[in-house]
Amino acid sequence: MQFLYNIFISLLISAMKIGAVFNYKLKKGLAGRRQSCKIVNEKFSRKDKVIWMHAASLGEYEQGLPVLEKLKAKFPEHKILITFFSPSGYDNVIKKDHIADAVCYLPFDLKVWIVDFMSNFNTDIFITIKYEFWYNLLGELKKRGAKIYVVSALFRETQVFFKAYGSWFVKQLDQNVDWIFHQTKHSSALAKEIGLKKSSTAGDTRFDRVKQLRERDNFVEYIDDFKQSKKTIVFGSSWESEERLAELVASRNRDVKLIIAPHDLKRVDHLKNIFPDAILYSQITNSSSVAILNPQVLIIDCIGLLSKLYSYGDIAVVGGGFHTKGLHNVLEAATFGIPVFFGDQYEKNPEADELTAQNGGKSFEDEFFAAPYILQVLNDETLMKKMGEHAERFISSQPNATDYVVQKILAEKGVL
């Protein structure tokens, strides 16, 4: 199986190289990986103790960040390394303030590349988020004495561990991982069924992260001027279906304001075609210009504002759920006590199911089913308020997963 796994990684690399000819994102990821060893060699030395967090993309990074921040507070002398698999995670984090001493792409999981990457620093604690398992990496980390943890793990019956040929993968996790912290009891039970007993249910660390969003300053310049005290729907990380939904809602309720933050800024031109009278956030230079134009739609043509923009909404529509691209973060909206709506094509977001069960949100088959219901909620103050209260209560009732994870890690290291 080790041989077959290495063959699979080699094939993956070849496929990505071919794909990079046609796909800019793949090309960017390959180019970034060529810089990874140089980055860590410049930032670290062999005497450095490093806390290393690996995340597939931005969503997983957000899950791991609360744990990473608390570990850094406990071990201020340690340096911090964050690695990504996807350019979307790397690009977002590298442009912002962050706590890491180095941020780079994870090299492909061939042993020779992993050994080269690790050769110039000492990993004390390694955290991988959710279901990002690279077996040569885990084996080499364990050989070098690192403590290895999986945070916000989410096991599903469809994963390789539960296939007839999955025993090798289970064995690797059992040998190399010190503890698995699960998001849900179901995930924890599945792990124990296949013999991964070094695990427990901690909850989802994203709840701790989004609770913090309420406490910070969420002011965004010009948004109050745009709203003018009217009901506002924030469309977060929108794709084509959410944008069609926005068009339906706007045409049937001329009094509602729409703030649309597309998942990809390349969609801005498309949005301007749908809403020719919309204003781009980058076009706003002063408050009076917004008041004079009085547009119904504001298009956010920059990144980094979405989680603050949800605080201005009366309703949120979160993108990605009307197709298989993957539902984006519903918790960032729900934490501000507003109803949250999204498509129903998702399977890796148990929090979306729970939000719906708690009556703080609702999913729909397509935008044509969603539009009438959203219009109904807009016209029913009592229903809108009640759903918002349910959403806020859902967030507030979640346990502090970060503290649980950090206390366990500290206990294992004998710090407590």
Side-chain angles (χ1 to χ4, degrees), residues 207-231:
F207 287 102
D208 307 325
R209 187 70 178 165
V210 298
K211 287 175 190 175
Q212 295 171 358
L213 298 182
R214 304 169 184 168
E215 311 304 321
R216 71 177 181 184
D217 180 5
N218 285 295
F219 174 75
V220 180
E221 195 170 18
Y222 307 127
I223 301 301
D224 283 322
D225 302 305
F226 165 75
K227 283 190 62 170
Q228 296 184 1
S229 302
K230 292 185 177 180
K231 289 178 183 173

Side-chain angles (χ1 to χ4, degrees), residues 349-362:
N349 301 73
E351 70 280 2
D353 283 328
E354 188 59 28
L355 177 63
T356 301
Q358 296 289 332
N359 298 314
K362 191 171 177 62

Side-chain angles (χ1 to χ4, degrees), residues 250-384:
S251 65
R252 297 177 190 179
N253 187 331
R254 295 293 182 184
D255 204 40
V256 68
K257 295 278 190 170
L258 307 184
I259 299 174
I260 306 178
H263 168 72
D264 189 335
L265 294 184
K266 293 176 183 176
R267 300 196 64 78
V268 169
D269 288 341
H270 175 69
L271 283 165
K272 278 294 287 181
N273 288 333
I274 298 175
F275 302 104
D277 296 326
I279 188 171
L280 301 180
Y281 187 73
S282 64
Q283 292 176 332
I284 304 174
T285 56
N286 56 64
S287 298
S288 59
S289 66
V290 188
I292 293 168
L293 291 169
N294 191 25
Q296 184 182 19
V297 178
L298 172 63
I299 300 170
I300 306 299
D301 55 344
C302 59
I303 63 172
L305 295 181
L306 180 57
S307 62
K308 291 186 176 183
L309 290 170
Y310 283 131
S311 70
Y312 289 88
D314 297 284
I315 287 173
V317 175
V318 177
F322 287 115
H323 50 59
T324 56
K325 292 291 184 182
L327 179 63
H328 294 279
N329 193 337
V330 299
L331 304 181
E332 286 185 343
T335 195
F336 292 107
I338 59 175
V340 185
F341 302 114
F342 42 89
D344 65 358
Q345 294 185 46
Y346 61 88
E347 63 172 350
K348 301 176 183 178
N349 301 73
E351 70 280 2
D353 283 328
E354 188 59 28
L355 177 63
T356 301
Q358 296 289 332
N359 298 314
K362 191 171 177 62
S363 65
F364 301 90
E365 182 179 340
D366 60 39
E367 62 270 30
F368 302 104
F369 283 100
Y373 189 83
I374 291 174
L375 290 163
Q376 176 190 341
V377 174
L378 278 171
N379 293 321
D380 189 334
E381 291 276 0
T382 301
L383 176 58
M384 185 163 61

Side-chain angles (χ1 to χ4, degrees), residues 363-411:
S363 65
F364 301 90
E365 182 179 340
D366 60 39
E367 62 270 30
F368 302 104
F369 283 100
Y373 189 83
I374 291 174
L375 290 163
Q376 176 190 341
V377 174
L378 278 171
N379 293 321
D380 189 334
E381 291 276 0
T382 301
L383 176 58
M384 185 163 61
K385 182 180 178 183
K386 187 175 292 186
M387 288 190 74
E389 288 172 350
H390 288 313
E392 191 279 333
R393 192 177 304 123
F394 167 61
I395 300 293
S396 297
S397 66
Q398 300 301 315
N400 194 319
T402 301
D403 282 351
Y404 177 88
V405 170
V406 171
Q407 292 300 310
K408 173 71 174 174
I409 292 174
L410 294 178

Side-chain angles (χ1 to χ4, degrees), residues 137-148 175-178:
L137 171 66
L138 295 178
E140 192 61 30
L141 281 164
K142 179 53 62 178
K143 190 185 299 183
R144 292 166 184 251
K147 285 286 190 179
I148 301 173
Q175 287 179 343
N176 295 321
V177 175
D178 290 277

